[in-house]
Structures are given as structure tokens and as C-alpha cells.
Amino acid sequence: MTTRHLTLPGMNPKVMEADLKMKFKDAGSLRLTLGEIGNRVSAIQIDATKGGAFKKDILQPDGIVTRAKAKIAANKPINFQKVDVDFQPIETNVFATKNDTAPVKVEYMPGHNLLPSALRMVQSDIVFFDGFGNHLPMDISDDGEGPFSKAGIEAIEDIDAVDIQNPQLVSIYVKDIYNYMRYLEQKYTIRPKFLEGTDLTGKMRAILIDWLCQVHTRFRLLQETLYLTVAIIDRYLQQKPISRQRLQLLGVSAMLVASKYEEQYAPEVADFVYITDNAYTKQDVREMEQDILKTLEFGLGRPHGLHFLRRFSKAGNVDPMKHTLAKYLMELSIIEYDMAHLRPSHLAAAALYLSITVLDNSPWTATLKHYSKFEETELKSLSKRLAQLVVKAETSKLTAIKTKFASTKFMKISSIPQLKSQTMLDMAESIS
């Protein structure tokens, strides 16, 4: 009985048979040069009654191949033949050896395919692979309506594409950073009216922060330090109310903590004692500092408005004047007790929206919507509240912030004529 085998393109059955015979012969010769150990197998038989494949020893031919004969066989030249690449299935006994007197019977058993992998392709497999060429290519054009089609959305600029070569701007994961900051502003929230039920009032808080703005300017600290100072004060007071006599101590201690967190060189404890006209001692400041950190559980990572404003200004491609005006609007809000609970991202977006509206009435573009996560309708109400603060600052007794932004360092932004324009007045009066 002759076994039918499938010959693939590039396989000449006669050459295959000769090569296999030579391979088996050479392998046996090299084995015999090491001495006969009586465990060679020349064929494999399948017994279906045993439930699996097993090996059966076949008697080996007589005679021992010497080392000299093995060396001659190994050095025998190989005759290369031209291979016929035509695909013609034929019948041939590929696995027959020189000493086999009968063909080896191979029976099919599921899970025990003993044929070489190159011979396992059957006609159904060929049909399967040929089927790939019958499919039309996928349509990936952007025509038509859809969430990512040009017709479905406005063009959104990738503001981080130009920063890919600058590792300091971490453009690869900057989106993940801002997503995490949005998570932190939700984690470290400040509840509305957190001073209710205490001896303190919103006016006392406003006086304290206005004084801290002067201290901040006197020490020439970073803007981030001021925002973190206010956040520490509010978060501490909503968890652990204190007496009026210790409110100023809380303020300077909070600025000390914020300076250590943000500044490269923080002011010394003695500097804060001096700025309070020695109303407190160094020990008082150190103890309050420890109490702040324990109360807040050392969680000082609450983001502030400047973090988000810088991102939004980049998305809007605004000029320095618009950015500085937005900073002025945000800083006016830190004095207001009824605005302490607002999310920094919301406040930054509203400040920028009011700034571009007042200066040149630029639109709130799709790129700004994408990166700020705020629609224009979500910003109008808060921007009107900020406009009211600008009008209020003209007559307020708390002038530290207005005076600060009237300097040339901040482009004298608090005294520009646009802040007294009819647009600003209309927005301030339209608040409900």
C-alpha cells in the first residue's frame, strides 16, 4: 500500500526521496561510529487499538560501520539537481528506506499527526488562504459624517506636536498629567461656606489673604506659592476651625509650608515671625506647621488655576496681554470667600474667556473647548462674576492685588482702559 503525500511548489519528489534516504543513511553511519548501543529506531508504527502513538523497534541490518567507512560517507559529494516548481500532486513513498521490505502504514488519529509540518496543508487550507485575496480593501477615508470625520467635527489643533523634540515639555504624557490634575482637584475639594459655625467670617479671611499678598510680594515668592498658601488655609479651616487670635499664625505658617513646597529657597521661620511684628514666636510657627501637615495628611498636591491657565493659553494661542489679564482675574478671586470652592480648572477657563472677550472678542475655539473641557455656555456665568470683581476692585479697600498688577512686571494690566469698557460693565451688571 502506497501512502499519498502532497507535494508543494518547489519540492521535487525524486530529489526529496534521495535526500531523505541519504539523510537516514548518514545519520545511522555517524551513530554507529560511536558504537552500537541497541536503541535505534528505523520506523514508526501506529496501533489504533492502543489509543495513541508508540515506537516499535525494527531489527537493524547486519554489519557494523567502521570509523573509516563513516568518514568516507560523510565526505561523499552531494549532487544538486534542478527542482521542478510545478505544483503536481503525485503518489510517492517518501519515507521508504533502503532496507524496508514493506511500506509503513500510517493511520490518521486525531491529535497525533506525525507527518512533517510542510506536508500538512490540505486542499481546504489552500482554499482558505486564497480567500484573502477576494476581499476589497477597508475604506478608511474621512468623508461623510462621523465622530472623527472632517465633516463631523471642527478641526482641533494638536498643541503638543511642536514639543515632541523637547523632553522637558513631556509632550508624550502631558495629557495624562492634566487628567491626573483634574482628578486631584476633585480629590482635594473645598466645600462651600466652610466657615459656617465658626468664629471666623469671610471678611476676616479676605483681610488675611490681602495681607498675605503683600507679604508674598515683599518676599518675592513665586505665584504658585500664593495659590498654594490660600488652598492650605481653606482646606485647614474646613477641617479644623481656629480662633481669631490664631488666624494670622495660620496664614504665615501656611505660607512657610507652601514656600518649602514650591520655592528653591524658602524664607526662614524668623522672617515670618518678623513680618508679624513678633506677635508669635518661632516655636508657635513650627507647631502650627506640624499641625497643618498632620491635618492635611501631607497632601499638598492640589492643583491651582495657574497650572490650567498655562495649558489653556497655549491651546488658544493667546498673546501675553490676554494671559496676564487672565492671571489678574484669577488672583482677584482668591480673596472672595464665596468663590473658594470653585474648581481651579473652571476658574482658569472662565478668566481666559473673559480676557479674550474684553480685549478683542475672540471666539472660544474648538481647540479651547477640547483642552479646557468647557463649552462657552459653561463659562459665561462665572466670567460675569469675574467682571463684577474687576469693577469692585476700583473702589475696594483691599488693594494689594490691584497694586501688584499695576506694576510694569505685569504690563500694568490692572489699569488698562479695557477694564472700564462698556463690554466689561455690561457683563458685570448682567449677573443675576
Side-chain angles (χ1 to χ4, degrees):
M1 176 180 177
T2 303
T3 305
R4 181 183 296 270
H5 299 287
L6 183 63
T7 306
L8 298 180
M11 297 172 59
N12 188 302
K14 294 182 179 181
V15 176
M16 283 182 56
E17 184 173 359
D19 290 345
L20 288 172
K21 288 181 179 179
M22 180 61 71
K23 179 180 179 181
F24 294 153
K25 179 179 178 180
D26 292 345
S29 300
L30 294 175
R31 181 66 176 273
L32 289 174
T33 59
L34 302 177
E36 178 60 47
I37 59 177
N39 65 343
R40 291 180 296 146
V41 178
S42 61
I44 297 177
Q45 290 187 351
I46 305 300
D47 188 351
T49 62
K50 299 296 184 178
F54 70 96
K55 299 178 180 179
K56 183 177 181 180
D57 291 340
I58 307 299
L59 293 178
Q60 305 300 325
D62 296 333
I64 301 301
V65 179
T66 63
R67 188 183 302 271
K69 291 181 179 180
K71 183 175 181 181
I72 294 173
N75 296 328
K76 185 178 180 181
I78 300 175
N79 296 324
F80 294 94
Q81 301 181 17
K82 184 178 180 180
V83 178
D84 186 6
V85 298
D86 294 336
F87 177 69
Q88 296 179 354
I90 63 172
E91 295 184 359
T92 179
N93 188 3
V94 178
F95 294 96
T97 61
K98 180 178 180 181
N99 298 309
D100 286 337
T101 58
V104 179
K105 182 180 180 180
V106 179
E107 298 179 1
Y108 171 74
M109 296 179 63
H112 297 283
N113 192 352
L114 301 178
L115 295 178
S117 60
L119 301 178
R120 293 179 185 172
M121 182 179 289
V122 295
Q123 190 65 25
S124 60
D125 296 325
I126 298 174
V127 174
F128 173 74
F129 287 112
D130 288 344
F132 284 119
N134 298 329
H135 294 286
L136 296 176
M138 181 184 296
D139 183 12
I140 58 174
S141 62
D142 55 4
D143 297 331
E145 297 290 339
F148 297 102
S149 65
K150 292 182 179 178
I153 60 174
E154 299 180 52
I156 296 176
E157 178 187 357
D158 184 4
I159 63 175
D160 303 309
V162 296
D163 302 330
I164 193 67
Q165 300 298 331
N166 190 342
Q168 294 182 339
L169 297 179
V170 292
S171 61
I172 297 176
Y173 45 85
V174 64
K175 295 180 178 63
D176 296 326
I177 293 176
Y178 275 92
N179 288 336
Y180 180 65
M181 290 171 64
R182 291 180 186 277
Y183 161 76
L184 289 179
E185 70 175 351
Q186 295 287 350
K187 179 180 178 181
Y188 299 122
T189 56
I190 298 173
R191 65 176 183 270
K193 302 179 181 181
F194 58 89
L195 293 180
E196 285 187 348
T198 67
D199 293 337
L200 305 178
T201 63
K203 184 177 181 180
M204 296 178 186
R205 174 187 175 276
I207 294 173
L208 172 67
I209 294 177
D210 184 77
W211 176 75
L212 287 174
C213 287
Q214 300 178 46
V215 175
H216 173 268
T217 304
R218 176 90 175 266
F219 286 165
R220 298 181 180 180
L221 302 176
L222 297 174
Q223 298 177 71
E224 291 85 349
T225 303
L226 178 61
Y227 283 98
L228 182 56
T229 299
V230 176
I232 290 174
I233 293 173
D234 292 341
R235 290 176 58 204
Y236 180 88
L237 289 176
Q238 76 173 353
Q239 297 185 49
K240 193 174 183 179
I242 60 175
S243 62
R244 300 181 182 182
Q245 291 75 19
R246 293 174 62 83
L247 182 60
Q248 188 180 21
L249 175 62
L250 172 63
V252 295
S253 301
M255 184 166 284
L256 174 63
V257 173
S259 299
K260 291 181 177 181
Y261 189 88
E262 295 285 359
E263 302 287 339
Q264 186 175 4
Y265 301 103
E268 297 180 1
V269 176
D271 296 330
F272 289 104
V273 172
Y274 171 78
I275 209 71
T276 61
D277 196 20
N278 296 312
Y280 308 99
T281 64
K282 293 182 180 179
Q283 187 63 25
D284 293 333
V285 175
R286 293 193 185 99
E287 290 178 356
M288 178 59 73
E289 178 187 14
Q290 296 175 15
D291 193 29
I292 289 173
L293 294 174
K294 290 178 181 178
T295 303
L296 302 184
E297 298 178 347
F298 292 84
L300 304 177
R302 184 178 191 266
H304 48 73
L306 275 178
H307 289 142
F308 295 102
L309 179 61
R310 289 164 182 157
R311 181 70 168 171
F312 301 162
S313 294
K314 184 176 182 179
N317 195 25
V318 302
D319 55 52
M321 178 169 285
K322 293 178 184 177
H323 180 74
T324 305
L325 178 56
K327 288 199 297 184
Y328 173 57
L329 297 172
M330 281 199 313
E331 200 155 319
L332 285 176
S333 69
I334 66 175
I335 297 180
E336 302 300 316
Y337 167 62
D338 61 344
M339 300 180 71
H341 66 282
L342 296 175
R343 286 182 296 160
S345 60
H346 191 191
L347 187 61
L352 184 61
Y353 173 77
L354 178 59
S355 175
I356 62 179
T357 300
V358 170
L359 292 181
D360 60 6
N361 199 24
S362 300
W364 191 253
T365 64
T367 303
L368 279 168
K369 294 176 186 177
H370 175 75
Y371 287 99
S372 70
K373 312 297 183 185
F374 290 104
E375 296 287 340
E376 183 176 358
T377 55
E378 300 177 271
L379 303 175
K380 287 185 176 181
S381 178
L382 183 54
S383 63
K384 293 176 181 179
R385 179 72 177 90
L386 292 174
Q388 193 179 55
L389 296 182
V390 173
V391 176
K392 178 182 176 181
E394 297 296 328
T395 57
S396 176
K397 295 180 180 180
L398 305 177
T399 60
I401 296 176
K402 188 177 186 301
T403 303
K404 170 184 173 180
F405 278 88
S407 64
T408 56
K409 178 182 178 180
F410 295 99
M411 306 174 67
K412 299 182 179 181
I413 203 68
S414 63
S415 58
I416 59 175
Q418 288 88 335
L419 296 183
K420 300 178 182 180
S421 64
Q422 191 61 39
T423 302
M424 180 69 74
L425 297 176
D426 292 342
M427 294 188 70
E429 293 176 357
S430 63
I431 189 172
S432 55

